[in-house]
Amino acid sequence: MTRAPLIALLAATALLYLWDLGANGWGNEFYAAAVQAGTQDWTALFFGSLDPGNTVTVDKPPAALWLMALSGRVFGFSPWSMLVPQALAGVASVWLLYAAVRRWSGQTAGLLAGAALAATPVAALMFRFNNPDALLTLLLVAAGYCTVRATEKGSGRWLALAGVAVGFGFLTKMLQAMVVLPALALVYLIAAPIGLGRRVLHVAGAGAAVAVAAGWYIAVADLWPADSRPYIGGSTDDSVLDLALGYNGLGRVFGGGGNPSGSGPGTAFGGETGWGRMLGLAFGSEVAWLLPAALIGLVAGLWFTRWAPRTDRTRAALLLWGGWTLVTAAVFSFMQGITHPYYAVALAPGIAGVAGVAGWELWRGRDHTGARITLAGIVVVTAGWSFVLLLRDPDWQPWLRWAVGAVGLAAGTAIAVGAHRTWRVGALALVACLGATAAYTVATAVTPHGGSIPVSGPARASDAMPMRPDADPELVAALRATDTRWAAATTGAGQAGALQLASGRPVIGIGGFSGADPAPTLAEFQRHVADGAIRYYVGEGGGRSFAGPGGGAIADWVAATFTPATIGDHTVYDLARPRSG
């Protein structure tokens, strides 16, 4: 077995994810501001605070911020140092998926799976961006790899390591990490070559590992004295546990808890719920290029292995990656709370794993009529579905959809009629299945993306929702000249993040991401002002800002107590100069 194909795959993936990485700038400035804060203050790094003065955290756990902030401390804070860990997480995800699939299905299947993941548009989007989804995906793939190793010999230790990976996934994006647990447990319970009692015991042990790996941070954060740490953004009671169970937990599934109830037609929030959601306008171009192929291959593979022994590795692989795909797709399809299309990067490894395993096994068994016809159908369906997805961006490379469709029809026909022994037919089938998604992925990688809801592809990059306009240079200069604990305060995280990133000085985003967190309270803000800890209050200057009750009370008090002035395009209050009289 030669390592050259793997080296080529990883080199191509690294080039795709690292090339011109700084073009995305600060990406999502909400998280970028928190990364910046983590490079300046260790408490801010540990809790994921939005500013180095530790007022309020981001509305997610901080694991992804830890890597990006540590990179900034080593290399200096910049867009490049922030995004490099994300890109490397992508390369590592491709490598681990390859390694996991190869152990049971061989090198070719591993290469197919790794290439399919690398060539998924949402993967190129998220592995070049600073949202938590990049690290989450890497940790979930690591859990899948550990489960493969555990299932081979019935190893409780490897299964516990899978639980640790999922637990740290929880510290990255909370309950979304738990979606893969049914697939991991199922494959071990079915296919591990040990007795049922030991299998159940090992799964229980892995569950305990999940709880410990996730729970230690909840315990530390919630037991830490609240007056010496930032407010836990997005929670209702200043606790990580509430954040996990509410806004970032059941609220995402059922709505409520800070999430809008019900779904809407807009693509930024996933579109209408239902079984067709993953194929719809929001998710389709992100992740679904190989979804029909994976589903067909999963059904066919389980049928062809129906009489195989309990420990059969091909069937176990299909159960692992197929279970991952089905459960994740079902959860995303019916979530009633906030659901953004880029979440689908967590679905990509499952689809890629099934496609690699099923595609290779069907190719190996192509002398069998059933396998050959199924494979031919997969090639034609995938090419046809690629045609549909490309048609959704009709002005981008219109020739490509016709070329992929023609190649797919030719390759599928050749396989079906028996002209399948030559490598040229296999190459045509690969082009038909991966050509469109690979092209769209490259287009995604070379197109700058930013804002809070980035989307894949060249034509729809303008759909991203920017957090704010560019920071005003006159105001930035004024903030840089301050020497107080916080240079300024403003309502909401959008404008605060932009000002903090541009000036390099701490800025309080009153109320956190939504403006609704009670941080700081009016009394706390008044105390900070009395202590001379905040120099300016900046009124809203455009962009994304939500004035919750706390922010509104602070704004009213500032307006009644201090004289407004104009700096650049902003109304600014100098908190060191109260109104006379």
Side-chain angles (χ1 to χ4, degrees):
M1 180 179 64
T2 176
R3 293 184 179 271
L6 173 61
I7 293 172
L9 171 63
L10 297 182
T13 303
L15 179 65
L16 181 68
Y17 293 167
L18 288 165
W19 180 263
D20 197 21
L21 192 57
N24 285 341
W26 297 119
N28 187 333
E29 292 178 351
F30 176 66
Y31 293 118
V35 173
Q36 181 191 47
T39 65
Q40 299 177 7
D41 181 84
W42 287 106
T43 301
L45 185 149
F46 182 76
F47 289 105
S49 180
L50 283 168
D51 70 82
N54 293 300
T55 307
V56 61
T57 71
V58 298
D59 57 351
K60 299 290 185 298
L65 301 176
W66 293 342
L67 294 184
M68 291 185 280
L70 290 173
S71 176
R73 284 179 174 267
V74 172
F75 298 107
F77 179 62
S78 68
W80 181 87
S81 68
M82 178 181 67
L83 295 177
V84 159
Q86 307 292 88
L88 295 180
V91 177
S93 296
V94 170
W95 172 63
L96 278 176
L97 181 61
Y98 158 85
V101 172
R102 181 193 65 82
R103 293 191 70 87
W104 287 353
S105 301
Q107 184 182 46
T108 303
L111 291 170
L112 290 174
L117 175 58
T120 302
V122 72
L125 179 70
M126 284 293 99
F127 290 131
R128 295 173 55 87
F129 211 71
N130 59 331
N131 281 23
D133 302 76
L135 178 60
L136 173 67
T137 304
L138 171 60
L139 289 169
L140 296 185
V141 175
Y145 175 81
C146 291
T147 301
V148 168
R149 296 295 301 267
T151 306
E152 288 176 354
K153 295 183 178 180
S155 169
R157 180 177 300 178
W158 274 106
L159 198 64
L161 287 175
V164 170
V166 172
F168 274 89
F170 178 91
L171 299 185
T172 304
K173 213 174 178 191
M174 292 195 158
L175 288 189
Q176 186 180 335
M178 306 300 179
V179 174
V180 302
L181 284 178
L184 306 186
L186 178 66
V187 70
Y188 191 83
L189 287 172
I190 290 178
I194 55 177
L196 178 60
R198 290 180 62 196
R199 280 178 269 156
V200 172
L201 182 63
H202 289 172
V203 169
V210 173
V212 171
W216 72 269
Y217 180 81
I218 295 177
V220 170
D222 289 352
L223 292 174
W224 197 291
D227 58 359
S228 62
R229 63 159 171 79
Y231 183 89
I232 305 301
S235 70
T236 60
D237 62 358
D238 194 19
S239 77
V240 178
L241 183 61
D242 175 79
L243 181 65
L245 298 179
Y247 176 70
N248 279 331
L250 299 179
R252 295 294 171 118
V253 179
F254 300 110
N259 289 261
S261 296
S263 61
T267 58
F269 288 87
E272 296 290 344
T273 59
W275 288 113
R277 197 182 209 186
M278 293 299 101
L279 303 177
L281 293 176
F283 282 92
S285 296
E286 301 285 341
V287 75
W289 300 81
L290 295 176
L291 181 55
L295 294 177
I296 297 171
L298 176 62
V299 172
L302 292 177
W303 174 258
F304 289 133
T305 59
R306 65 192 184 279
W307 303 119
R310 176 178 65 82
T311 58
D312 180 75
R313 290 186 174 182
T314 298
R315 184 173 58 201
L318 292 170
L319 289 174
L320 174 60
W321 306 113
W324 179 315
T325 299
L326 293 176
V327 176
T328 305
V331 171
F332 288 164
S333 294
F334 290 95
M335 283 174 61
Q336 294 290 324
I338 295 173
T339 311
H340 297 313
Y342 64 78
Y343 292 0
V345 68
L347 175 60
I351 295 175
V354 174
V357 173
W360 175 238
E361 294 298 335
L362 289 170
W363 177 258
R364 289 205 307 166
R366 62 193 183 279
D367 287 335
H368 184 279
T369 302
R372 185 169 68 250
I373 296 302
T374 302
L375 182 60
I378 286 176
V379 172
V380 173
V381 167
T382 302
W385 177 235
S386 296
F387 186 99
V388 172
L389 290 177
L390 290 171
L391 195 59
R392 293 178 181 177
D393 280 329
D395 297 328
W396 181 74
Q397 307 296 340
W399 63 271
L400 181 60
R401 58 180 178 267
W402 296 104
V404 168
V407 171
L409 184 60
T413 301
I415 293 172
V417 301
H420 55 270
R421 297 186 180 278
T422 173
W423 65 267
R424 293 180 179 85
V425 174
L428 284 177
L430 280 178
V431 170
C433 293
L434 294 179
T437 183
Y440 209 77
T441 298
V442 171
T444 298
V446 300
T447 301
H449 297 272
S452 59
I453 310 178
V455 294
S456 301
R460 296 192 295 165
S462 60
D463 290 347
M465 296 176 63
M467 291 283 286
R468 50 79 201 168
D470 290 334
D472 187 281
E474 292 184 42
L475 180 57
V476 169
L479 298 184
R480 285 175 177 166
T482 64
D483 59 2
T484 50
R485 179 179 178 183
W486 291 281
T490 188
T491 300
Q495 184 169 245
L499 293 173
Q500 181 172 292
L501 289 167
S503 67
R505 296 281 294 129
V507 177
I508 296 176
I510 299 171
F513 175 72
S514 66
D517 291 321
T521 63
L522 175 59
E524 289 170 338
F525 187 85
Q526 290 172 331
R527 185 169 64 251
H528 291 324
V529 172
D531 292 342
I534 311 171
R535 179 60 189 271
Y536 296 109
Y537 176 87
V538 181
E540 295 184 20
R544 184 173 186 170
S545 181
F546 303 93
I554 290 172
D556 291 343
W557 177 76
V558 168
T561 308
F562 300 91
T563 302
T566 300
I567 300 179
D569 295 329
H570 293 264
T571 299
V572 177
Y573 297 83
D574 188 338
L575 303 182
R577 298 180 179 180
R579 291 178 185 268
S580 59

